Amino acid sequence: MSFKEVFDQYHWDDIKSSIYNKTAEDVERALRHSDRDIEDFKALISPAAAPYLEQMAQISHELTLQRFGNTMQLYAPLYLSNECQNICTYCGFSLDNKIRRKTLNDIEIAREVKAVKDMGFQHILLVTGEANQTVGVDYIERAIKQIRPHFANVSMEVQPLDQEDYERLIQQGLHSVLVYQETYHKADYKIHHPKGKKSNFYYRLETPDRLGKAGIHKMGLGALIGLEDWRVDSFFVALHLDYLERKYWKTKYSLSFPRLRPFSGGLEPKVEMVDRELVQLICTYRLFNQEVELSLSTRETNQFRNHAIKLGITTMSAGSKTNPGGYAVEPQSLEQFEISDERSPEVIKTILEQNGYEPVWKDWDLALESAI
Ligand code: SF4
């Protein structure tokens, strides 16, 4: 059974009313549990949990310390291309956005790699739009072959692929894949993805299944916050995670919580999520799952990121550029979205240390991980 069959048993409106009907009693029960289930998740994500935020933050902090210690993994994204054949209403790279398109060649990739390495990073996240003619699997495979020897860990966030393609890329040393569903609301998904391969809701929904079957080391899930009711979307992320962990138990998992950010030609969020609510979401994920990595990008403000260090986050990007060639080749090309925290990796490192955290540029070698 793939996640599609699980997903189809749930109805958005029923989940929504069951979350909004949770009471203080449900929240207190969820807080008392040591092994929390999906009903506890609903209670903790509900409006009824707002008065318990301090308590949730404290538990989240302790659980994260127990499992991950005082460490923070650091990574940088490397945008290889802004070519894209899809229309996504919230993205600067959307096909209908008239921008100059750019795909890095081998020489340009080498320059970007050097710039990212010079900042100290050992973990890199490769990002492209979806344009099979220019940045299809062959291009990605070649890029991974070129980049892998320079980094301890290579992740990617590109279009969903077939299982065989993932197998091919894993053979080249690909460690993890991030694939966000954007929204689990089927009708709204259609509105935000009217054209291109990405408009196929179920193909995207089943991507983590294909990754699990391909034997990926780690995968990242999430919803884009602002498209639909974030509490319901987050419920589906938790449900998806729970399903995947049981089925593909050799794979590790990470979650992200990107909030819509301004970009050229931007979309106003349908649903605003305030900072306190993002804290609630981070803590709820941690209280629900003690093993999952929680990742925070430079979309968030300096102040929020400083505060979030002790909430349950285990992974952060720093000094990010969200345009192809942004580090060294073509710093002025158009970004996918505006980043908010523009501080250098060096500054982030100092802040982590001031908070008693050890910045980790590299955890351990893949060879070691595979041997365990
Ligand atoms: S979100 Fe991805 S698929 Fe959609 S337009 Fe942007 S780059 Fe293309």
Side-chain angles (χ1 to χ4, degrees):
M1 172 162 44
S2 83
F3 184 65
K4 176 181 183 297
E5 287 147 89
V6 176
F7 176 80
D8 281 343
Q9 293 167 14
Y10 290 81
H11 296 284
W12 182 278
D13 291 340
D14 296 345
I15 298 297
K16 186 169 177 174
S17 58
S18 117
I19 292 173
Y20 282 84
N21 285 330
K22 292 289 183 192
T23 63
E25 215 170 272
D26 296 323
V27 177
E28 286 171 18
R29 191 178 319 112
L31 286 172
R32 278 197 306 273
H33 286 165
S34 55
D35 196 11
R36 299 181 181 91
D37 63 17
I38 201 78
E39 284 305 312
D40 294 326
F41 183 92
K42 282 189 199 162
L44 295 171
I45 205 70
S46 74
Y52 298 87
L53 195 55
E54 281 307 314
Q55 200 181 338
M56 286 170 66
Q58 207 178 330
I59 303 172
S60 177
H61 174 65
E62 282 160 14
L63 290 174
T64 309
L65 272 188
Q66 278 168 26
R67 168 66 182 82
F68 296 91
N70 293 70
T71 61
M72 187 70 68
Q73 188 81 55
L74 294 172
Y75 75 95
L78 173 51
Y79 278 68
L80 295 169
S81 174
N82 61 10
E83 291 273 0
C84 193
Q85 296 299 316
N86 288 322
I87 292 182
C88 299
T89 57
Y90 46 81
C91 176
F93 295 170
S94 188
L95 177 67
D96 55 349
N97 206 3
K98 298 292 167 238
I99 56 164
R100 205 169 70 72
R101 302 290 168 167
K102 168 91 187 150
T103 298
L104 301 186
N105 61 32
D106 293 356
I107 297 167
E108 291 168 330
I109 290 176
R111 286 180 61 195
E112 291 289 285
V113 161
K114 179 169 183 329
V116 174
K117 283 214 74 158
D118 286 350
M119 289 190 279
F121 290 104
Q122 283 289 336
H123 283 208
I124 196 162
L125 168 66
L126 307 180
V127 188
T128 70
E130 176 162 2
N132 285 328
Q133 300 299 321
T134 36
V135 286
V137 187
D138 292 342
Y139 175 89
I140 297 168
E141 184 177 36
R142 229 186 30 251
I144 292 175
K145 246 188 204 166
Q146 181 184 351
I147 293 168
R148 177 66 186 88
H150 302 282
F151 291 93
N153 190 310
V154 174
S155 308
M156 80 174 188
E157 187 179 340
V158 306
Q159 72 271 26
L161 301 174
D162 292 340
Q163 184 183 332
E164 306 75 63
D165 294 329
Y166 285 131
E167 284 164 4
R168 229 172 107 183
L169 300 178
I170 291 167
Q171 273 203 338
Q172 297 303 333
L174 177 65
H175 181 261
S176 44
V177 173
L178 314 185
V179 57
Y180 307 136
Q181 185 59 29
E182 318 296 12
T183 178
Y184 288 80
H185 188 294
K186 255 194 286 182
D188 263 42
Y189 184 93
K190 201 83 203 148
I191 294 169
H192 292 292
H193 309 97
K195 188 170 182 298
K197 282 182 82 178
K198 193 166 174 179
S199 60
N200 188 338
F201 177 87
Y202 282 119
Y203 184 70
R204 194 167 187 90
L205 190 73
E206 291 184 310
T207 306
D209 276 292
R210 296 194 298 280
L211 278 164
K213 287 182 195 147
I216 193 76
H217 293 278
K218 184 164 86 186
M219 64 175 108
L221 312 174
L224 180 57
I225 293 162
L227 296 184
E228 244 303 331
D229 188 304
W230 63 268
R231 298 178 204 272
V232 188
D233 261 330
S234 306
F235 163 84
F236 280 109
V237 171
L239 188 74
H240 210 160
L241 173 69
D242 206 36
Y243 158 88
L244 291 164
E245 275 194 338
R246 289 170 204 273
K247 186 148 182 183
Y248 309 105
W249 52 271
K250 287 185 177 169
T251 297
K252 293 205 285 179
Y253 296 88
S254 70
L255 298 180
S256 302
F257 359 86
R259 289 195 275 191
L260 262 182
R261 287 286 306 150
F263 75 95
S264 147
L267 171 83
E268 282 302 312
K270 174 175 172 182
V271 186
E272 246 346 308
M273 175 198 245
V274 298
D275 286 356
R276 274 184 73 82
E277 291 171 333
L278 181 52
V279 171
Q280 183 183 354
L281 176 61
I282 293 170
C283 297
T284 301
Y285 278 140
R286 174 59 68 224
L287 266 65
F288 177 64
N289 188 309
Q290 275 95 79
E291 289 296 312
V292 71
E293 293 182 16
L294 299 180
S295 176
L296 195 67
S297 79
T298 52
R299 285 172 182 256
E300 299 302 334
T301 61
N302 301 9
Q303 295 76 4
F304 188 86
R305 286 184 16 119
N306 291 352
H307 187 58
I309 291 169
K310 292 192 172 172
L311 287 176
I313 299 297
T314 60
T315 314
M316 283 175 121
S317 53
S320 303
K321 301 291 177 199
T322 67
N323 47 338
Y327 295 103
V329 172
E330 207 174 305
Q332 300 313 325
S333 68
L334 187 105
E335 299 167 312
Q336 187 181 32
F337 56 86
E338 285 173 28
I339 62 166
S340 191
D341 184 348
E342 298 189 356
R343 294 171 296 179
S344 69
E346 201 47 43
V347 172
I348 300 294
K349 173 177 174 280
T350 308
I351 289 167
L352 287 169
E353 286 166 351
Q354 283 165 352
N355 278 278
Y357 277 71
E358 185 190 340
V360 179
W361 304 92
K362 171 185 180 181
D363 43 9
W364 52 30
D365 282 315
L366 259 188
L368 205 60
E369 192 169 292
S370 319
I372 291 174

